[in-house]
Amino acid sequence: MKYSFILLNGLLFLGASAQQAAWGQCGGETWAGLTTCVSGYVCTYSNPYYSQCLPLSNTISSSSISTMTSSAVSSSGTSTTQTKYAGVNMAGFDFGMATNGTEDLTQILIPPKYVFTILHNDQMTHFVNDDKMNIFRLPVAWQYLVNNVLGGTLNSGNFANYDNLVQGCLGTGALCIIDIHNYARWNGGIVGQGGPTNAQLTNLWSQLAAKYAGESHVVFGVMNEPHDIPSISLWAATVQACVTAIRQAGATSQIILLPGNDWTSAASFVSDGSLAALQTVRNLDDTTTNLIFDVHKYCDVDNSGSHAECVTNNIDTAFAPLAISLRAIGRQAMLTETGGGNTASCVTFVCEELAYLNSNADVYLGYVGWSAGAFQPSWDYVDSLVPTESGNTWTDTLLMSSCFKR
């Protein structure tokens, strides 16, 4: 009888107007499921392929509309918000970098060394023209830029190769993130904490900032994924030294990305003390203008981005709590690495994650997927966002077309 009672109630419920559960998908070009949301949630547009049931409190209100990056209401009546920036990493100059900061320069893949995939500049042009992207992150090994001379000057040949990528990015009109991809290390030693000195890292940033001081679309990414840092306060001092060096070199107004400990994970950015420590970092004029917190988060089982299947949208465990903390101090973050496999589970969870960021664009400035660039088709790389080209026709990966493109 108990089973029958539950079944009866289920039938009675289905007889009413069915509604999608909180955080569930409710729209998209190929969506054939429920299109209205349970009480307290509204179907919120993310991109042509995905809309999501988000809390009314996370969507546009009269009190918050002036602080949102962009907002609108579609003809169907669903709320639409978007982060200011959306884009993709363009890997290749970081190949050979290990998480302990050692680098095998022979592994770096840059044109014309590789010929089996579409060149970086062509990919970026497609992403901007066809997918409406407006930001690219350009990872590079510290060792490559100075040709393995710690504290040395930029190597003219190596820097010229990297600058070709930067100029290709700038030519699209997008923002271009210079990302030192060394995990806060050089050959195993942690910057400012027993390894390279702050002065050796700031010497690099002084040179780079001087090169790009006149480029308003260049963004300075202080360091990729610091991890296992003994002292977060000392790390904040290192970040401050980099910010000071960049500003003193003449790059006085561009965005600078401030990374935290624990792989700069969005889930631990508050709990590990990164947010509190990095709040103290200031520009030369004692403001925090364009000092943006740099966070990462993948959707697979261990936040490594190495699994084809995704298991979480990171909302309740990372982005919602971080959003509360960011609003409390009036600051913003950018998600510069996220992604997953080109699988149905990752389409679900990554799309939900990005929809949440879009609906909280007052505190999330943008997101950048991992990764396109020099990955070869034959590698079957799990997180590949590299498109294919046939004549004038471009075909994006499943995750790109479903979640990242605008």
Side-chain angles (χ1 to χ4, degrees):
M1 293 297 293
K2 184 177 180 181
Y3 176 79
S4 299
F5 176 77
I6 294 172
L7 178 60
L8 175 61
N9 276 275
L11 292 172
L12 288 173
F13 175 77
L14 290 173
S17 178
Q19 293 179 307
Q20 180 60 284
W23 308 110
Q25 184 174 358
C26 57
E29 289 185 3
T30 61
W31 178 246
L34 301 173
T35 57
T36 60
C37 304
V38 295
S39 177
Y41 291 75
V42 64
C43 190
T44 304
Y45 174 91
S46 176
N47 60 51
Y49 299 88
Y50 194 84
S51 295
Q52 180 184 18
C53 288
L54 298 178
L56 285 168
S57 60
N58 288 333
T59 55
I60 295 174
S61 65
S62 59
S63 63
S64 64
I65 192 168
S66 63
T67 64
M68 300 295 278
T69 301
S70 62
S71 60
V73 177
S74 70
S75 59
S76 63
T78 59
S79 298
T80 62
T81 65
Q82 285 189 334
T83 60
K84 188 172 183 179
Y85 300 108
V88 63
N89 283 265
M90 302 301 298
F93 283 92
D94 57 309
F95 287 5
M97 176 60 65
T99 58
N100 66 356
T102 59
E103 167 64 25
D104 179 358
L105 294 178
T106 66
Q107 293 188 40
I108 287 179
L109 286 186
I110 57 172
K113 186 174 179 179
Y114 68 94
V115 295
F116 300 110
T117 193
I118 305 164
L119 299 182
H120 287 76
N121 289 357
D122 292 336
Q123 291 183 45
M124 290 188 289
T125 298
H126 155 66
F127 287 135
V128 169
N129 292 343
D130 300 330
D131 295 340
K132 311 308 177 189
M133 292 189 162
N134 59 2
I135 189 168
F136 298 101
R137 184 168 177 255
L138 313 176
V140 63
W142 182 358
Q143 287 93 331
Y144 179 79
L145 291 174
V146 295
N147 201 31
N148 260 330
V149 180
L150 179 60
T153 58
L154 294 173
N155 178 269
S156 58
N158 290 356
F159 175 72
N161 288 334
Y162 182 68
D163 184 58
N164 284 338
L165 176 63
V166 176
Q167 296 304 323
C169 176
L170 291 171
T172 69
L175 287 193
C176 308
I177 303 172
I178 296 175
D179 161 48
I180 304 303
H181 212 76
N182 277 67
Y183 304 93
R185 287 159 168 79
W186 175 290
N187 295 346
I190 299 174
V191 180
Q193 301 188 45
T197 64
N198 287 350
Q200 288 169 323
L201 180 58
T202 58
N203 177 54
L204 174 72
W205 274 120
S206 293
Q207 295 179 71
L208 289 170
K211 295 284 188 181
Y212 298 113
E215 295 287 355
S216 62
H217 281 206
V218 165
V219 175
F220 302 102
V222 168
M223 181 62 63
N224 175 69
E225 294 188 348
H227 65 90
D228 299 292
I229 304 298
S231 170
I232 189 61
S233 60
L234 288 179
W235 174 246
T238 297
V239 174
Q240 178 65 74
C242 292
V243 169
T244 299
I246 290 167
R247 297 305 191 211
Q248 288 179 338
T252 58
S253 61
Q254 293 98 321
I255 292 172
I256 303 177
L257 298 175
L258 315 181
N261 200 2
D262 295 327
W263 315 90
T264 202
S265 170
S268 59
F269 206 79
V270 176
S271 62
D272 69 10
S274 293
L275 182 63
L278 293 172
Q279 274 184 255
T280 66
V281 176
R282 294 289 189 271
N283 292 310
L284 298 178
D285 60 1
D286 201 39
T287 69
T288 58
T289 304
N290 281 336
L291 299 183
I292 306 298
F293 300 119
D294 188 0
V295 297
H296 290 180
K297 201 74 177 78
Y298 286 89
C299 297
D300 59 354
V301 67
D302 60 0
N303 189 39
S304 67
S306 62
H307 302 86
E309 299 296 336
C310 294
V311 300
T312 177
N313 58 25
N314 296 310
I315 294 171
D316 292 338
T317 58
F319 292 110
L322 180 57
I324 293 171
S325 296
L326 290 170
R327 287 194 183 97
I329 61 173
R331 298 290 294 273
Q332 290 181 309
M334 184 180 292
L335 176 62
T336 61
E337 275 192 35
T338 191
N342 288 289
T343 59
S345 65
C346 289
V347 168
T348 295
F349 289 118
V350 174
C351 283
E352 288 175 358
E353 174 188 76
L354 300 186
Y356 181 83
L357 267 63
N358 280 322
S359 71
N360 289 270
D362 58 324
V363 291
Y364 291 114
L365 188 61
Y367 48 81
V368 191
W370 185 271
S371 174
F375 293 105
Q376 309 279 345
S378 61
W379 292 354
D380 195 26
Y381 177 58
V382 66
D383 290 334
S384 177
L385 295 174
V386 178
T388 58
E389 181 186 21
S390 178
N392 294 322
T393 300
W394 290 84
T395 301
D396 282 318
T397 64
L398 175 64
L399 200 61
M400 176 63 70
S401 61
S402 300
C403 302
F404 286 106
K405 70 181 294 185
R406 288 271 170 101

